[in-house]
Amino acid sequence: MTTTTDEGPRVLLGVGGGIAAYKVCELLRRLTESGHRVRVIPTRDALRFVGEPTWAALSGEPVTTEVWSDVAQVPHVRLGQGADLVFVAPATADLLAKAAHGIADDLLTNTLLTARCPVVFAPAMHTEMWEHPATQANVATLRERGCVVIEPAVGRLTGADSGKGRLPDPEALFDAARRALARGAPNTARDLTGRHVVVSAGGTREPIDPVRFIGNRSSGLQGYALARTALARGARVTLVAANVALPDPAGADVVPVGSAREMREAVLKAAADADAVVMAAAVADFRPSGYEDMKIKKTAGAEPAPIRLVENPDILAEVVRASRAVGARHQVVVGFAAETNDVLENGRQKLARKGCDLLVVNEVGERLTFGAPDNAAVILSADGAAVDVPRGSKDALADVVWDLVAARLV
């Protein structure tokens, strides 16, 4: 459970020796300004990028890399014992290797061995280093032990290089830290550790011509909340996002798509090795039967040509069928039903028709759910149970969904 004192939760902010250390200054500012007491523990190489005076001034705490400073207080033991969260950013390949193998040659690596609170690593390195089998084995080891290892972002690295390995932005890191603290003790914080989950989010768009499309009002907020909460609970998350204008959740593998057919391809590919699939996206039921290569022009006095619609693939039904096939991997499949009337009755009919394990049913409209920060729902299960989730944050609803999913995982 998070320590609550007059000084706020105690966070140990480990800083590795990478150029991305400059981003951690902003993370530190966000943590201290939101009431957290933060002690920065850099590695020796981290101080080559950001100096000790900067960390001390921003945190208001002493800064050292050595176990020999203030020996009477036994810092290499006491710091880890008294922390509510250890957050390491940037976590270099070297730091991940030392943590995985229990090497303790400075204050930070000693602290990692004594911490009994949630531990989060935010890796940052070149793509080749991140993808190397040694690094991936170290990441797998840390995750198996209950640590949260955030997937690095994709983008510009040092020099002219781009790819996967970029440290997520401070806002995303702060959100990951806040969620790890909110989950509390390690034995409850990461009940999805070692699990791969797929979440769809947003609303598909079906093109009519180069400038027009058939779409819906989905903002993607609920799907992104599901991704963030799964990450905080230790899962590896693939987020298939359709037309969403939101920052990527730190650690998620985000696959952008546009149409229902693109989403189908991405979801089925990601679901092949998933433990759970949560279809929160609003997928268009229909698409235009044809596509005009040039913008359709308005002709004065003439009626517009009708747009003929054809049915889109049923992605949820396909995922369910694949998960129920002989020899298939056991999966928990969750669908969403956005209804405007007869909400529960329509939801029960959809659950029976789709055959998924859980169905999250909510009422939607112009001022309900779409784009709003809160949500209310009833979660129906295949065994006939129903869980009423009163109106609250979309994060709160997401946690209830994952509670029900976790209970069904084998």
Side-chain angles (χ1 to χ4, degrees):
M1 181 177 294
T2 300
T3 301
T4 53
T5 69
D6 291 340
E7 296 175 325
R10 180 73 186 221
V11 178
L12 298 181
L13 184 56
V15 184
I19 186 63
Y22 77 92
K23 287 185 177 181
V24 184
C25 295
E26 175 63 16
L27 170 61
L28 173 56
R29 185 188 67 80
R30 288 173 180 263
L31 287 167
T32 56
E33 289 186 357
S34 59
H36 300 82
R37 186 179 178 189
V38 186
R39 174 81 177 259
V40 179
I41 309 177
T43 63
R44 300 177 190 90
D45 287 339
L47 296 181
R48 293 175 177 265
F49 296 96
V50 179
E52 179 272 334
T54 299
W55 299 122
L58 290 174
S59 68
E61 295 272 352
V63 174
T64 181
T65 66
E66 306 294 339
V67 297
W68 304 109
S69 300
D70 198 15
V71 174
Q73 300 299 318
V74 200
H76 71 291
V77 175
R78 296 288 181 260
L79 288 174
Q81 289 178 333
D84 297 303
L85 173 69
V86 178
F87 197 102
V88 182
T92 61
D94 177 66
L95 255 178
L96 293 172
K98 288 179 177 178
H101 293 278
I103 297 173
D105 60 359
D106 62 5
L107 185 56
L108 176 55
T109 50
N110 272 271
T111 299
L112 288 170
L113 289 180
T114 60
R116 295 299 180 266
C117 58
V119 178
V120 180
F121 293 91
M125 62 196 75
H126 269 68
T127 306
E128 294 83 358
M129 298 175 72
W130 171 251
E131 293 177 345
H132 194 282
T135 302
Q136 289 302 301
N138 291 331
V139 168
T141 296
L142 292 169
R143 284 174 171 162
E144 287 169 4
R145 292 177 187 160
C147 298
V148 174
V149 183
I150 294 172
E151 290 286 315
V154 176
R156 182 70 178 268
L157 307 173
T158 54
D161 293 340
S162 289
K164 190 170 187 177
R166 180 183 176 90
L167 187 71
D169 290 335
E171 181 180 359
L173 295 176
F174 174 67
D175 185 68
R178 183 175 60 84
R179 291 177 188 283
L181 279 166
R183 289 298 298 169
N187 62 340
T188 60
R190 293 179 287 273
D191 54 358
L192 296 178
T193 294
R195 303 292 190 173
H196 176 210
V197 303
V198 177
V199 178
S200 71
T204 62
R205 295 176 179 177
E206 310 305 319
I208 298 171
D209 64 20
V211 298
R212 301 181 179 92
F213 59 85
I214 296 173
N216 57 65
R217 297 179 183 273
S218 178
S219 64
L221 287 171
Q222 186 63 71
Y224 272 55
L226 284 156
R228 288 193 304 268
T229 51
L231 287 161
R233 296 169 75 146
R236 176 167 67 92
V237 178
T238 300
L239 177 60
V240 182
N243 309 297
V244 177
L246 297 170
D248 292 347
D253 183 8
V254 181
V255 182
V257 297
S259 68
R261 285 179 289 181
E262 290 174 357
M263 176 165 283
R264 173 187 177 274
E265 181 180 353
V267 167
L268 292 180
K269 180 180 178 181
D273 69 342
D275 297 288
V277 181
V278 180
M279 292 294 299
V283 182
D285 293 322
F286 304 98
R287 69 179 185 274
S289 60
Y291 173 78
E292 297 293 333
D293 292 328
M294 301 179 66
K295 179 182 175 183
I296 300 171
K297 296 291 188 180
K298 179 173 66 176
T299 302
E303 289 289 327
I307 298 175
R308 181 173 172 269
L309 300 178
V310 295
E311 193 170 347
N312 266 325
D314 190 331
I315 306 172
L316 178 58
E318 285 195 62
V319 171
V320 170
R321 283 198 299 272
S323 71
R324 306 296 188 262
V326 176
R329 177 191 188 95
H330 172 77
Q331 289 179 334
V332 179
V333 182
V334 183
F336 270 65
E339 302 291 346
T340 58
N341 61 289
D342 298 329
V343 175
L344 281 181
E345 180 57 30
N346 286 331
R348 291 190 180 97
Q349 291 179 15
K350 181 172 181 177
L351 177 63
R353 190 167 63 250
K354 304 292 186 180
C356 48
D357 299 284
L358 298 166
L359 188 74
V360 183
V361 186
N362 51 27
E363 185 176 358
V364 297
E366 189 170 350
R367 293 178 177 83
L368 285 173
T369 302
F370 289 136
D374 56 2
N375 201 352
V378 176
I379 305 176
L380 305 176
S381 64
D383 61 10
V387 177
D388 187 24
V389 184
R391 185 159 299 279
S393 71
K394 291 185 173 179
D395 290 332
L397 173 57
D399 264 323
V400 176
V401 171
W402 291 123
D403 288 342
L404 296 171
V405 169
R408 287 164 169 78
L409 291 172
V410 296

